[in-house]
Amino acid sequence: MSYPQLLTPEAKLADAKKLLSLPRIVVICGSTRFMTEMTEADLRETKAGKIVVKPGCDMKSPHELWSDPVEAEALKVQLDDLHRAKIRLADEVLVVGHYIGDSTRAEIVYARSLGKPVRFTHPEVDPDA
């Protein structure tokens, strides 16, 4: 007797995207020092017909939401978790910028561990190149 295979959450998400006829989803990763370049990449990917998700906060720029150091640290953890969720949601990753720091490197490792294709605006910074 054969048993039906249970779908993984990833397979269920892929099926749902197909049923909804969603375009490819690309998540932009990189240092927030490259926010201007991320905005340009967002424009180009959107023009190419993709849904784009990217960091929503530049904590390197002053703002009242992260002016308190204790609250800023808690927010950083929350935003890192949120960005990993964006990576899980996405079909592919686009790394923006000519520098890869520890956080971006960890995001690349995470995306690749999930089997997500990773592209670079500056391929020479690919840690696996």
Side-chain angles (χ1 to χ4, degrees):
M1 173 182 267
S2 66
Y3 295 95
Q5 290 198 339
L6 297 176
L7 291 177
T8 64
E10 295 82 7
K12 288 179 182 179
L13 178 59
D15 286 350
K17 287 177 181 179
K18 285 179 191 171
L19 287 170
L20 293 169
S21 300
L22 292 179
R24 284 186 65 80
I25 301 171
V26 60
V27 60
I28 295 176
C29 295
S31 171
T32 55
R33 72 177 69 171
F34 300 118
M35 288 299 275
T36 301
E37 291 87 345
M38 288 181 186
T39 300
E40 180 67 20
D42 183 349
L43 174 66
R44 292 181 183 281
E45 295 294 315
T46 298
K47 183 179 181 290
K50 298 176 185 174
I51 295 172
V52 180
V53 292
K54 65 181 187 200
C57 297
D58 173 8
M59 291 185 68
K60 289 182 173 79
S61 298
H63 194 282
E64 67 183 58
L65 290 176
W66 47 85
S67 60
D68 176 87
V70 173
E71 289 180 20
E73 190 55 38
L75 179 59
K76 171 102 173 76
V77 170
Q78 178 185 346
L79 293 175
D80 287 347
D81 289 343
L82 180 61
H83 201 69
R84 281 190 296 279
K86 291 175 184 180
I87 292 170
R88 290 191 302 276
L89 175 67
D91 299 303
E92 61 183 313
V93 174
L94 175 60
V95 179
V96 172
H98 56 80
Y99 161 80
I100 301 291
D102 292 339
S103 293
T104 303
R105 185 172 285 106
E107 291 167 356
I108 293 166
V109 168
Y110 182 65
R112 286 181 167 154
S113 77
L114 298 173
K116 307 285 180 175
V118 180
R119 294 185 288 127
F120 294 80
T121 59
H122 295 75
E124 67 275 10
V125 300
D126 182 349
D128 292 342

